[in-house]
Amino acid sequence: MPEGDILRRTATRLDEALAGRELERADLRWPTAATVDLVGRTVLGTVPYGKHLLTRFDDGRTLHTHLRMDGSWRIARTGSPGAAAGSPVVRAVLANRTWTAVGELLGMLDVLPTSQEHTLIGHLGPDILADDFESDGLPEVLRRWAERGSTPVCEVLLDQTVVAGIGTIYMAESQFLDHLWPWTPADQVPDPIRLLRVARALMQRSVRTPMPTSTGDVTRGRGSWVHSRRGEPCRRCGTPIRRGTARQPPQERPVFWCPRCQPAPTSTTV
């Protein structure tokens, strides 16, 4: 599932193509929004929040989209074959005279008053990539973290109601760099602030310079420390990377870790 860094990059691309321009084409192929007319509206900009995108218009409305597992927004020059958007996987098309944004396999789509955005994202924790995360977001994350008690830290990091934007990649990478066993109870993590700052720093770096995340890239020696590297040697100690699971079905997520660099407490197995 795309994580907060990808959403930041996507929002930037959408702004470069759409912000400040009037829509000449708007096609929302979604049952609850199929009759919504956005033609003639000017795009004010797209704001990412965690794993959500909020595209705002000059009439006080917002298009909310979520990529879920497979969704994406791509940009094509208006009038080019890529802007035709004839594929059955297309869920949204926003176009001005120069650029066309095509949303494919989107997992969520809503149009609502901008003033009501909180009804869709208000339950989320602070966005880990927000500019004010250190000053305003971090104290709230720590409060919510404390409420999770002995829940495994890998699951707390994935809980979007605690902190928004972290997924399986940066959950695994931050725990590795912090030498933390993924199933450590949240209330026994020595320094949650340090762990969160590690995750934030990794994601900020990815926003600036995208990190390869496919298994193919990783096995060619690029990319992550542990994520998607099951059976491969740890880049620090050479121990084979292991794969476990966070959460219970059907919400389970993969967890990658090095059993030597991130040792479990004695007599504990996964």
Side-chain angles (χ1 to χ4, degrees):
M1 180 180 290
E3 304 187 26
D5 58 325
I6 293 177
L7 274 294
R8 292 266 156 176
R9 299 201 301 267
T10 300
T12 296
R13 290 197 300 271
L14 289 173
D15 274 354
E16 290 171 348
L18 303 178
R21 296 184 170 104
E22 183 178 303
L23 295 181
E24 296 187 352
R25 178 187 178 193
D27 184 6
L28 304 181
R29 303 173 190 176
W30 197 268
T32 59
T35 61
V36 172
D37 184 10
L38 295 172
V39 173
R41 301 273 55 89
T42 296
V43 177
L44 300 180
T46 296
V47 177
Y49 193 99
K51 301 180 181 182
H52 300 253
L53 291 170
L54 303 168
T55 301
R56 296 167 177 164
F57 303 95
D58 63 347
D59 65 349
R61 286 185 291 176
T62 292
L63 170 66
H64 162 254
T65 55
H66 191 297
L67 305 184
R68 288 202 185 275
M69 293 295 294
D70 301 310
S72 66
W73 280 96
R74 61 177 177 83
I75 306 298
R77 186 169 290 277
T78 298
S80 70
S87 170
V89 303
V90 173
R91 301 290 180 263
V93 182
L94 302 175
N96 53 52
R97 185 174 304 176
T98 307
W99 298 106
T100 297
V102 181
E104 298 180 338
L105 294 173
L106 302 175
M108 296 173 64
L109 188 151
D110 306 274
V111 178
L112 72 166
T114 300
S115 62
Q116 297 300 306
E117 289 175 356
H118 66 276
T119 63
L120 296 177
I121 64 171
H123 66 291
L124 300 174
D127 182 345
I128 194 165
L129 288 175
D131 292 341
D132 63 354
F133 180 77
E134 285 283 342
S135 58
D136 298 337
L138 190 53
E140 177 61 17
V141 171
L142 294 176
R143 184 188 70 79
R144 297 181 182 214
W145 184 295
E147 292 177 347
R148 297 308 185 268
S150 62
T151 302
V153 61
C154 59
E155 297 185 10
V156 174
L157 288 172
L158 292 174
D159 187 343
Q160 301 301 294
T161 67
V162 174
V163 56
I166 299 176
T168 55
I169 296 173
Y170 296 106
M171 171 267 289
E173 297 293 278
S174 60
Q175 291 174 146
F176 173 79
L177 291 175
D178 206 30
H179 300 276
L180 190 64
W181 186 58
W183 294 271
T184 301
D187 55 8
Q188 294 180 26
V189 173
D191 192 345
I193 293 177
R194 182 179 63 197
L195 178 64
L196 290 164
R197 284 175 172 162
V198 168
R200 175 174 161 85
L202 288 171
M203 296 175 75
Q204 287 175 321
R205 183 178 66 182
S206 177
V207 171
R208 297 189 298 269
T209 306
M211 181 184 77
T213 57
S214 72
T215 301
D217 284 334
V218 168
T219 55
R220 286 191 293 269
R222 303 173 60 208
S224 66
W225 288 95
V226 292
H227 184 76
S228 292
R229 299 191 65 241
R230 180 180 183 179
E232 296 293 319
C234 174
R235 299 186 192 279
R236 278 180 173 162
C237 70
T239 301
I241 299 300
R242 295 182 62 185
R243 182 188 186 279
T245 303
R247 300 175 175 169
Q248 298 298 315
Q251 300 297 322
E252 69 269 28
R253 294 290 184 271
V255 181
F256 297 88
W257 88 105
C258 171
R260 182 174 181 182
C261 295
Q262 301 165 261
T266 304
S267 76
T268 301
T269 60
V270 176

